[in-house]
Amino acid sequence: MRSKIFAAVISLSIFASPAPFTLDQVRSYPFPTELAAAATGSRIAWAFNEQGRRNIFVAEGPTFSARQLTHYDRDDGQELSSVAVSADGKWVVYVRGGDHGSNWDDALPVNVGSTPTPPKVQIFSVAYDGGDPKPIGDGDAPVVSPRSDVVAFVKGGQIWTVPIDGSAPAKALFTARGENDEPRWSPDGSRLAFVANRGDHSFVGVYSNDSSAITWIAPAFARDQSPRWSPDGRRIAFVRMPGAGGAPDSLLPPRPRPWEIWTGDATSGTAQRLWKSSTTLTGSVPTTDGETNLGWGASDRIVFLSYQDGWPHLYSIAATGGAGTALLLTPGRYMAEHISLSRDGRWLVFAGNMGADSLDIDRRHVVRVPVDRAAPQVMTPGNGLEWSPVITGDGTTLLFISATPQRPPLPARMALGNARAGIRPIAADHIPADFPAGLVTPRQVIFRSADGLTIHGQLFAAASGGNTRKPAIVYVHGGPPRQMLLGWHYSDYYSNAYALNQYLASRGFVVLSVNYRLGIGYGYDFHQPPGSGARGAAEYRDVQAAAAYLRSQAGVDANRVGIYGGSYGGYLTALALARNSDVFAAGVDIHGVHDWSTYLRGFERQRYEQAPDVDTAIATAWYSSPVSSVAGWKSPVLLIHGDDDRNVRFNQSTDLVRRLGAAGVPFETLVIPDDTHHFLRYANILTVDKATADFLERQLLQVNAGQTRATGRQ
C-alpha cells in the first residue's frame, strides 16, 4: 500500500541539465581524511586519496599552501590512517595498510593486488620539512608523546614504543594480561594510561616505568575504557560499564545500556563515580561517532556526549563532582559528531546539522561551544557542508573539510579572529580540470511512511526533456547509522554514492536517496526505532514510501522504478526485490546481509539457561531477511561482493546466489577478489560503479516507457 505523501509534487523540469560527463570524470575527485593539527603553532596534515594514490599532505599558516609529503604512486589499496602531527610540528606519523572501517580484522593486511607477498600494516614517520617516510614499527593505533620523541602503539595485544625518528627498533613497553589498547600519554609524556581488555571485564592501567608496578584504577567487575588525563596529569577520567554475565534476558525488546563516568588518582588508583546515566534507552551508551566522546577540558570540566534528552548532545560536569548535575551545552533539535577539544581545553568544536536554514538538518556545519556554558555558535553557515573540525595549536585558525553540492570535499580554513574572511579551501588545484561542472543540486524532499513516520530524502534529477516519463531509482545507504546529505558526504564510501547518483541523474534517471529510520540526524526515536532490522525490518516501510513518492511524480514512469544500495542498503535492496518485485523492476545489491538468523544462531545452546525468546528471536530474524521471501522475487538483480569483506561475510551472497538460481530468478554477479567491504582499490570502485550503472541502464533505461525489463543474465 502506498504511503500518504504530504510533500508537494516537484516538477522535474526545474532542475538544471548538466553537460554530459563520464563516470570516470565524476569519480576523479581527490578525497581528504585524517585532518590533524600540531599542539603548537599552525602546522597541519591530512591524507589525500587521488584516484587510489594515497599520500600525506601538509600545510602551515598563515598561507596554508598544500605540500605533498609522501609520494606513493600506485593504486594499491593501502589506506592511510591515524595521521598525527607531533606537538613540536617536526614530524608526521601515520599508519599505512589495514581496513579501519571494518567490523573485524581491521588491523590485518589488505592485499587487493593479490601479490604473493602481502603488504604489512605499518607505522611510518616522516619529517614535516621533507624526506623519505621511515617504517618505525609493525602495528596500529600510534600515539605521539607530548615530548615529540616517542610513539606508543599497539602490536599483538600489547603496548609498544619506538623513537619517532626510527633511530632504534620498536620494543614492548610492558607485558600485561589481555588485549591492551587505547594508549594515552600523560600531559608531560612521563606515563601512559591504557585499557586491558580481559574478556568479560576490562581495567584502566597506568604504566610509569620499568621498575614500578602498573597502577590499576579502581579495578572492578566492570568494563572500563576511554582513559583521559587531567591537564595537570594527576587524575584520570574514564567510562565504566557493567561487566558481562547475569541471567539471559529477552533478545527482542531493546534494553538500556547504562554507563558511568569515574575519576581516579593516577598514582594511588583510588577512584570515585562522578556521573551516572539514567537506566533508560536514551541514557544508554551513545552509538554515534566517538560514542561517549569523553574529554577533560579547561576549568576542570569533564565533557561528554549523551542521547539522554533524545539527541546526541554535548554535556559537561565539574570534575570535583558537587551536585553531580551535568550541564547541557548544545540544546536543540540537532546532533553533534566529529567532536574535537581545543588545545587549551576551552572549546569544543564539532560537526552538527544545526543552522537557521530549515535545510540544515540535512547538512553539516562546524559549531563551536565553550566547555562551561550553553552558547553554541555555528561557525560555517550557508548551503555548504563542513566536518572534521580542529583548531590549530596557536588557537588562531579553525580547520575542517568543506564541500558544496557541486564541489567535492577539500581541506579548508577560517580565521577565528576574522569571520568575514570566510571559508578558504586548501589544495583546490588538486580537483582535476575535467571534473564535471554544473552538477545537479539535490533537493530535500519530505514524505511519510505507512505508519506516519516523517522521512527525509534527497532528489537528484536533470531537466526533463518534454513530456517523457523517466525511470527512477531509490538509493539506500548502508550503516545503518548514517545520514545522506544535500551535498558531498564526509565518508569516502558515501561520497562515491553521491558521485554515482549524480552520474545516474545525468543519464536520465530520477534518483531518490532515502534516509530511512535507523539512521542518524533526526533524534533518538528515529535512530533506535522498535521492530527494526532483525527485530522486524520496520525500516523497510520507509523504502516502500520512497518508491511510492517517486511513482507519484508526474515525470516518473511508475513501471520503471529500480533500487540499489550497499551493505545495509544491499540488505534493503534485496528485501525490496524479494517482497515487492511488483514495485521494484530491478536492483543492484552490493554486499548486503541476506539472512539475519545466521547472526543469532549462536544463542541456541551456549549455556543451560537460554533467553526466554530465543526461538522467537531467530524466527523473527529469519522473516526479516530477504531469504525468507525468495519465492516472491521476480525482478532481475546484480549481486556484487568483495571476498575479503570484513563487515558482511561473503557467504551471505554465496548463499543467496544458490537460492536465486534454484528459484529461477534472473541475476548477474560481480565478485571482486581480495578487496574489502570498502573497495580500497580505486580501480575496483570504478568497476563496481560502472557495473551498477550499466545494469540499471540495461534494465530500466534502454526499454520503452511503460515496459519493464524481464530478463537478466547469469
Side-chain angles (χ1 to χ4, degrees), residues 169-192:
K171 64 178 183 179
L173 187 62
F174 57 86
T175 300
R177 285 184 54 237
E179 295 288 322
N180 301 290
D181 57 14
E182 294 193 64
R184 284 268 177 166
W185 290 104
S186 61
D188 64 359
S190 65
R191 291 168 293 167
L192 193 80

Side-chain angles (χ1 to χ4, degrees), residues 298-629:
S299 304
D300 226 16
R301 302 290 297 185
I302 306 293
V303 296
F304 62 96
L305 184 134
S306 172
Y307 243 132
Q308 64 190 40
D309 74 338
W311 290 81
H313 281 158
L314 288 166
Y315 294 78
S316 77
I317 189 169
T320 52
T325 301
L327 170 66
L328 172 61
L329 299 175
T330 56
R333 296 178 62 82
Y334 60 90
M335 71 174 297
E337 61 179 351
H338 307 156
I339 298 157
S340 174
L341 187 63
S342 65
R343 300 296 179 181
D344 61 10
R346 296 175 53 230
W347 299 93
L348 287 159
V349 288
F350 62 91
N353 53 343
M354 175 185 180
D357 189 336
S358 62
L359 299 180
D360 285 332
I361 195 168
D362 291 322
R363 297 185 179 124
R364 289 292 183 274
H365 295 308
V366 173
V367 186
R368 180 175 71 166
V369 65
V371 300
D372 57 356
R373 64 187 186 279
Q377 176 188 4
V378 177
M379 304 297 291
T380 60
N383 59 7
L385 302 101
E386 302 83 30
W387 60 86
S388 299
V390 294
I391 297 175
T392 53
D394 60 13
T396 64
T397 308
L398 176 66
L399 280 303
F400 46 88
I401 298 174
S402 162
T404 72
Q406 281 72 41
R407 177 179 60 72
L410 289 171
R413 61 187 171 102
M414 171 183 285
L416 284 173
N418 182 15
R420 292 183 179 179
I423 296 173
R424 308 182 80 173
I426 300 170
D429 58 331
H430 284 259
I431 297 177
D434 64 346
F435 183 81
L439 299 178
V440 300
T441 298
R443 292 287 301 270
Q444 182 194 69
V445 295
I446 301 174
F447 47 92
R448 281 187 177 163
S449 196
D451 56 2
L453 189 65
T454 299
I455 306 299
H456 286 226
Q458 298 84 42
L459 192 69
F460 299 74
S464 57
N467 297 320
T468 303
R469 290 179 177 266
K470 291 186 174 186
I473 297 169
V474 175
Y475 167 70
V476 196
H477 68 73
R482 305 285 186 269
Q483 182 186 17
M484 299 306 291
L485 307 170
L486 292 168
W488 293 87
H489 202 273
Y490 50 79
S491 159
D492 56 352
Y493 187 97
Y494 296 110
S495 264
N496 176 68
Y498 184 83
L500 183 52
N501 287 340
Q502 288 279 0
Y503 177 75
L504 291 169
S506 78
R507 297 293 293 169
F509 289 99
V510 178
V511 182
L512 176 56
S513 174
V514 55
N515 283 340
Y516 56 90
R517 74 190 77 185
L518 281 174
I520 59 174
Y522 309 105
Y524 182 88
D525 292 339
F526 192 90
H527 180 35
Q528 301 286 356
S532 56
R535 293 183 170 98
E539 67 278 17
Y540 178 59
R541 297 171 187 165
D542 310 332
V543 176
Q544 290 175 307
Y549 176 87
L550 285 174
R551 297 177 82 191
S552 73
Q553 300 299 295
V556 168
D557 183 344
N559 293 316
R560 292 188 292 160
V561 175
I563 185 169
Y564 89 98
S567 194
Y568 207 94
Y571 155 64
L572 288 171
T573 292
L575 200 62
L577 297 172
R579 292 185 177 182
N580 285 115
S581 280
D582 58 327
V583 172
F584 297 98
V588 181
D589 168 3
I590 307 170
H591 44 228
V593 174
H594 305 126
D595 185 355
W596 284 122
S597 70
T598 61
Y599 291 85
L600 295 178
R601 287 172 184 158
F603 287 102
E604 287 176 309
R605 291 290 175 263
Q606 286 187 338
R607 53 197 289 188
Y608 178 79
E609 296 175 292
Q610 295 298 305
D613 62 349
V614 62
D615 292 332
T616 302
I618 293 174
T620 301
W622 167 258
Y623 288 111
S624 302
S625 303
V627 291
S628 69
S629 301

Side-chain angles (χ1 to χ4, degrees), residues 148-161:
S148 302
D149 58 345
V150 175
V151 178
F153 63 96
V154 177
K155 177 182 178 181
Q158 298 295 332
I159 309 296
W160 290 55
T161 57

Side-chain angles (χ1 to χ4, degrees), residues 36 79-80 94 200 339 396 435 478 587:
E79 68 174 11
L80 303 182
Y94 60 95
D200 60 353
I339 298 157
T396 64
F435 183 81

